[in-house]
Structure formats: structure tokens, C-alpha cells
């Protein structure tokens, strides 16, 4: 079983972000921990555990988990361990923003059991960070990585965003070079999407910003793919790359369709054919928890065609690919001739060119 904990609190909303967050200057750590542990206790005895009894990975995502009191992370991990065996050597990841990384905080995370940090860097360009409404500055990133390593947490992942509007003049290859210079174990590279109801969505609607065109987006993605290979990284999933042996085990479990439980507001859970999700807003989640009502916002049972689409989509997004017999031979031939896929004995996997067309290819494979 894989466990995701959504910590929704952020200091302010980034210009592009439409995640389920709660902007708070003072984070209600104690109330959050108590509500999440209550939800965790309610999961015990649930049929979701039929497939697996132990916890294989824990992932604190957000929001900004590094804004939670470090003692809260310790309490959560202790509470998880009271109900279930956490596997020896389990990957325990915490997403952190560079400005929250202090020697005291990292030491506390490590003692609590965190052994992997995913750092939200996004760019090393100060004007881009200001445009994104990020709370950290570019020069906080290198000291943060150093502090994490000095405290004994070896496994460090950096998040970067590409595909920014051309008007920002962002030098993507320079940002990549700065990331490689910090010798991360893992990189997550996300293409910017313009979402409604975000400051960026409003700027685009008013014509104040022109989203990146397809050509530049593709150039940046392909440049990243080449740079990753040059630096010895394995581009093992459309948005993820790792040094050998450093693939993210938690995310890889999603892509293998392993069972997972999500705790906290808006968190999703999946096991067998069931998908269920929690109330999205922190206040609604907290109120339901305090009043003894369910925090579940909804659920569905996947039909056979939805399972097939999920399997194909998840297979194609990773470098492990799909069993060759899942696709008709003429489709395999067409994709490989176009340079979108490569075959190995019994398998087909997309190339970087293919990943640029992931949604369309997965849809055509299951049409
Ligand atoms: S820190 Fe992350 S979750 Fe919070 S507003 Fe920014 S992008 Fe969204």
C-alpha cells in the first residue's frame, strides 16, 4: 500500500496554481494532524487492504508540506506506524519549498523518518520567480540543497517548470544547467498549463500574456530530454528523470496501478477498480472530520474500458512502456516509423517525440 498525505497550506497562491490549497499565514498544524490521523484510523479494516498489508511508501505532497510544523510530520509518521507496519527502507518523501529549508527543520524531518526531499525550484531566474509569485528567491536553492544533504538526507529531487510564455525571456537550457550543477538524484519537469481561475488564466484571458506556442514547448521538452541523457539521467516517465537507482518509488507505484490511500483534503485513493476522493477544501474537510461526518467527497467504480484506458495511458507514460500485444501491429509500425515509439522484444515504449503526443496516442490505442 502506498500512502499520500495532502498538506494544503501555502503562504500565497502561485500565479499558475489551481491545486486544492489553503492560503494561511499561520498553519493549523495540530488540527491538521489530528484530522488526518482520524481519517487514517478509519481506513483500518477497509477492504482496500486486501491487496497489501504494509505501507511501502509515504508521500507528503501539497500545498506546501514544509510549512507544517516539523513536529507535525513526526506525529503523522508515528501515527501511521501505530496502525500499520511501514516497510523497512520505505521511501518517505516530503515536498519542500527552498525558503522553508532550515538546518533545524531538515534535522527534524530526518529524525521523523523522511528520507527524500522534493524541492520546488521551478526556475533559477529571479524575474521568472517573481512572475510566478513564488515565495523563494533563486539564491535560496543551492543552500537549501546543501542543508538537506548536510542533515543526512541523500535523495533530493528538484521540480522545474518549462513552456513559459516567450515574453518572459526565460533561458530554459541555462536553468537546466543550474539544476544539473546541484547534482540532484531526480528531476521532475512539468510543462506550464494555463488554468482558469488562476492569476495566469486571467492574464491570458485579458491578453496580457500569450501562452507558449506548441513549437517552443516541444523544443524545450526535447532539449531537456537530450540534456538528461547527457548528464546520465534516465528519462523514465514523461515528467520524471532519475540517476540510476533513484526512480521515485511512490510515483512509480501509481503508474503500476498499485493500491494507494490518500489522506487529507482533496486526496485521491485507488485500489482495484475503485477510485475515491476527499472533500476538496480544507475547511470543509476539517468541519466534516470534527462533526464526525465522512470526509469522502465522492467515488466511482471504473468500467472495463476505463481500466483499459488507464493501463494504456499509464504504461505509455513510462519508459517501461506496454506489452506489444496490447496494440495492433499496424499501429506499432506507424508509431515507430514516425519516430514516436521504439520496440524491444515484447514491449513498445514511447520516445520523447511520442511523449509530446501522449494523450492522443493513448486515446487512439484504446479507440
Ligand atoms: S507552493 Fe505549490 S501548491 Fe502552493 S500555491 Fe505554489 S504551486 Fe501551488
Amino acid at each position: 500500500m502506498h500512502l499520500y498525505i495532502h498538506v494544503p497550506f501555502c503562504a500565497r497562491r502561485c500565479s499558475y496554481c489551481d491545486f486544492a490549497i489553503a492560503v494561511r499565514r499561520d498553519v493549523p498544524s495540530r488540527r491538521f494532524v489530528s484530522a488526518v490521523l482520524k481519517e487514517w484510523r478509519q481506513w483500518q479494516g477497509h477492504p482496500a487492504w486486501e491487496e497489501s498489508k504494509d505501507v511501502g511508501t509515504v508521500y507528503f505532497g501539497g500545498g506546501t508540506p514544509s510549512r507544517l510544523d516539523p513536529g507535525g510530520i513526526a506525529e503523522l509518521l508515528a501515527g501511521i506506524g501505530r496502525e500499520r507496519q511501514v516497510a523497512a527502507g520505505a521511501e518517505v518523501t516530503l515536498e519542500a519549498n527552498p525558503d522553508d529549508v532550515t538546518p533545524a527543520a531538515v534535522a527534524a524531518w530526518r529524525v521523523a523518518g523522511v528520507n527524500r526531499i522534493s524541492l520546488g525550484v521551478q526556475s533559477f531566474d529571479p524575474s521568472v520567480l517573481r512572475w510566478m509569485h513564488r515565495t523563494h528567491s533563486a539564491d535560496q536553492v543551492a543552500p537549501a540543497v546543501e542543508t538537506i544533504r548536510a542533515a543526512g538526507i541523500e535523495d533530493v529531487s528538484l521540480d522545474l517548470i518549462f513552456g513559459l510564455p516567450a515574453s518572459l525571456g526565460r533561458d530554459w537550457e541555462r536553468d537546466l544547467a543550474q539544476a544539473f550543477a546541484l547534482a540532484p538524484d531526480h528531476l521532475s519537469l512539468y510543462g506550464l498549463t494555463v488554468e482558469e481561475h488562476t492569476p495566469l488564466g486571467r492574464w491570458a484571458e485579458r491578453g496580457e500574456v500569450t501562452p507558449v506556442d506548441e513549437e517552443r514547448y516541444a523544443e524545450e521538452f526535447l532539449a531537456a530530454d537530450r540534456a538528461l541523457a547527457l548528464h546520465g539521467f534516465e528519462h523514465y516517465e514523461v515528467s520524471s528523470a532519475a540517476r540510476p537507482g533513484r526512480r521515485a518509488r511512490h510515483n512509480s507505484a501509481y503508474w503500476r496501478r498499485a493500491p494507494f490511500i490518500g489522506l487529507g483534503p482533496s486526496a485521491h485513493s485507488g485500489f482495484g477498480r475503485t477510485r475515491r476522493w476527499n472533500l476538496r477544501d480544507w475547511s470543509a474537510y476539517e468541519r466534516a472530520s470534527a462533526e464526525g461526518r465522512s470526509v469522502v467527497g465522492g467515488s466511482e467504480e471504473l468500467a472495463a474500458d476505463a481500466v483499459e484506458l488507464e493501463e494504456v495511458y499509464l504504461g505509455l507514460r513510462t519508459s517501461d512502456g506496454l506489452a506489444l500485444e496490447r496494440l495492433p501491429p499496424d499501429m506499432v509500425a506507424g508509431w515507430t516509423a514516425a519516430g514516436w515509439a521504439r520496440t524491444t522484444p515484447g514491449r513498445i515504449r514511447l520516445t520523447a517525440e511520442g511523449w509530446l503526443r501522449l494523450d492522443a496516442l493513448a486515446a487512439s490505442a484504446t479507440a
Side-chain angles (χ1 to χ4, degrees), residues 191-210:
L192 182 75
T193 50
V194 179
E195 307 288 351
E196 269 184 278
H197 312 303
T198 61
L200 174 58
R202 288 189 285 277
W203 300 338
E205 208 178 279
R206 293 201 294 259
E208 293 166 10
V209 139
T210 308

Side-chain angles (χ1 to χ4, degrees), residues 9-10 12-14 16-17 19 21 62-64 97 122 134:
F9 310 109
C10 289
R12 62 173 182 238
R13 188 177 281 276
C14 298
Y16 52 86
C17 178
F19 292 164
I21 65 159
T64 317
N97 275 349
Q122 318 315 353
R134 299 290 300 177

Side-chain angles (χ1 to χ4, degrees), residues 28-48:
S29 293
R30 190 170 286 274
R31 278 157 37 206
F32 177 79
V33 169
S34 131
V36 165
L37 287 179
K38 185 171 177 183
E39 188 192 355
W40 172 240
R41 286 190 296 273
Q42 285 162 357
W43 270 101
Q44 307 310 313
H46 190 280

Side-chain angles (χ1 to χ4, degrees), residues 35 39 42-43 264-266 276-280 284-290 293-298:
E39 188 192 355
Q42 285 162 357
W43 270 101
S266 85
R276 79 176 228 195
W277 51 91
N278 284 348
L279 296 169
R280 183 173 161 92
Y285 174 93
E286 189 193 21
R287 211 174 315 118
S289 172
R293 288 183 285 113
S294 167
V295 296
V296 178

